[in-house]
Amino acid sequence: YSKTMTVELVAYLHDVHPNTVRKYITCGLIPKHPNSMSGKILIRASDALKLDFDEMRKKSKNLIYNEL
């Protein structure tokens, strides 16, 4: 619970671009760790290991369509 990962490490783990991870954090699909700062976003390691980027891709498209 207390172990954290950076955006870059999560991106590497899931073979996606770091900007993709940042986008999903902004959309609210990936929760930030409470110790995150404006200059360094942290993600709980337990959350990072359970992420499903295919599912988040679908959800983010739905969010975009709902905003239009």
Side-chain angles (χ1 to χ4, degrees), residues 27-42:
C27 290
L29 298 174
I30 300 176
K32 288 194 291 188
H33 189 276
N35 292 344
S36 294
M37 296 175 264
S38 61
K40 187 163 192 154
I41 299 172
L42 300 172

Side-chain angles (χ1 to χ4, degrees), residues 7 20-32 41-43:
V7 167
T20 303
V21 177
R22 288 184 190 94
K23 177 178 112 177
Y24 293 152
I25 291 169
T26 302
C27 290
L29 298 174
I30 300 176
K32 288 194 291 188
I41 299 172
L42 300 172
I43 300 163

